[in-house]
């Protein structure tokens, strides 16, 4: 059971790393550019926060496998904890096969069907990222997709099937249900992680403890 943060904000990631509960990060180059930063510099900063056996997904943006592979080299040369993120397209899977054959971990993103997940496994992907929220936006069951992928991977004769990395997490229920369905990892925005800590009964209990403590000290 692993939790990744889905953000490119280095300061936010650094703060949450202090908890010791974060296992990796997935990033978005568009957000990095909007923030006025070079994606390579951002990935270097994030990578430095995590041990070598973690996973920091760095996304390549290109039309052809050759271009994706070229971009990928800029990232995986940074550290052994870098995972290359490619889209689930024909060109993306070509790039995945090439990189995975060189023992470079690949996260294939934008998964919306079990057939895509099957091709990812054939291409040697380390991770597959089904999008729960975006599935639901289009009348599909994101949780059902995870269940189906889990079943296929468990029943296949693949030696090392990809880890299922549930993405497009929008609620804490998505987190719970994704793990029940068999995901290995969830990647979620910091706002959802903060919600996971909270419960009204916990707050009530803390308030009562504080009141009791003040009464004891007053005596």
């Amino acid at each position: 059971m692993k939790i990744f943060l889905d953000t490119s904000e280095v300061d936010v990631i650094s703060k949450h790393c202090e908890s010791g509960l974060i296992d990796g990060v997935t990033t978005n180059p568009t957000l990095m550019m909007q923030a006025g930063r070079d994606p390579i510099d951002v990935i270097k900063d994030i990578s430095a926060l995590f041990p070598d056996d973690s996973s920091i997904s760095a996304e390549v943006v290109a039309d052809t496998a050759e271009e994706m592979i070229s971009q990928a080299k800029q990232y995986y040369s940074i550290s052994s904890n870098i995972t290359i993120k490619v889209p689930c397209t024909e060109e993306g899977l070509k790039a995945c096969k090439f990189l995975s054959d060189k023992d470079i971990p690949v996260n294939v993103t934008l998964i919306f069907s079990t057939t895509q997940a099957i091709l990812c496994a054939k291409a040697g992907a380390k991770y597959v990222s089904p999008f729960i929220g975006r599935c639901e936006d289009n009348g599909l069951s994101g949780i059902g997709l995870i269940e189906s992928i889990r079943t296929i991977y468990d029943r296949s004769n693949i030696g090392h099937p990809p880890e299922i990395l549930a993405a497009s997490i929008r609620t804490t229920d998505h987190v719970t249900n994704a793990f029940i369905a068999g995901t290995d990892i969830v990647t979620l925005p910091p706002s959802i992680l903060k919600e996971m800590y909270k419960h009204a009964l916990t707050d009530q209990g803390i308030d009562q403890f504080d009141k009791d403590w003040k009464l004891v000290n007053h005596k």
Side-chain angles (χ1 to χ4, degrees), residues 19-135:
S19 69
L21 303 178
I22 305 304
D23 302 291
V25 175
T26 55
T27 64
N28 183 318
T30 302
L31 295 180
M32 297 182 207
M33 297 299 288
Q34 288 175 352
R37 295 203 62 192
D38 184 328
I40 294 175
D41 291 336
V42 176
I43 293 298
K44 285 180 180 178
D45 290 347
I46 296 172
S47 171
L49 297 172
F50 290 85
D52 290 344
D53 60 351
S54 301
S55 174
I56 312 303
S57 281
E59 186 169 356
V60 294
V61 182
D63 294 326
T64 69
E66 290 76 14
E67 291 171 324
M68 293 180 198
I69 293 165
S70 178
Q71 284 186 29
K73 188 173 182 179
Q74 301 175 77
Y75 290 122
Y76 67 70
S77 61
I78 293 172
S79 170
S80 60
N81 65 11
I82 301 299
T83 296
I84 303 302
K85 185 161 70 168
V86 302
C88 189
T89 61
E90 184 173 355
E91 292 300 305
L93 290 177
K94 286 180 184 177
C96 176
K97 185 68 168 68
F98 179 89
L99 294 168
S100 62
D101 283 348
K102 294 184 176 296
D103 294 324
I104 296 164
V106 179
N107 172 12
V108 184
T109 189
L110 295 170
I111 302 296
F112 295 98
S113 74
T114 52
T115 52
Q116 288 179 315
I118 291 168
L119 292 177
C120 293
K122 292 285 290 180
K126 172 69 174 176
Y127 307 99
V128 295
S129 291
F131 274 41
I132 295 177
R134 206 173 298 185
C135 276

Side-chain angles (χ1 to χ4, degrees), residues 111-112 129-138 140-146 165-171 173-175 177-179 181 183 185-186:
I111 302 296
F112 295 98
S129 291
F131 274 41
I132 295 177
R134 206 173 298 185
C135 276
E136 293 178 352
D137 291 344
N138 290 275
L140 305 172
S141 173
I143 298 301
L145 176 58
I146 291 173
L165 200 172
S168 190
I169 300 289
R170 298 176 182 172
T171 68
D173 282 345
H174 278 167
V175 176
N177 292 332
F179 279 121
T183 196
I185 308 161
V186 294

Side-chain angles (χ1 to χ4, degrees), residues 147-158 161:
E147 289 175 338
S148 297
I149 295 172
R150 178 81 279 151
T151 298
I152 290 170
Y153 285 173
D154 287 349
R155 293 181 179 177
S156 72
N157 59 358
I158 301 171

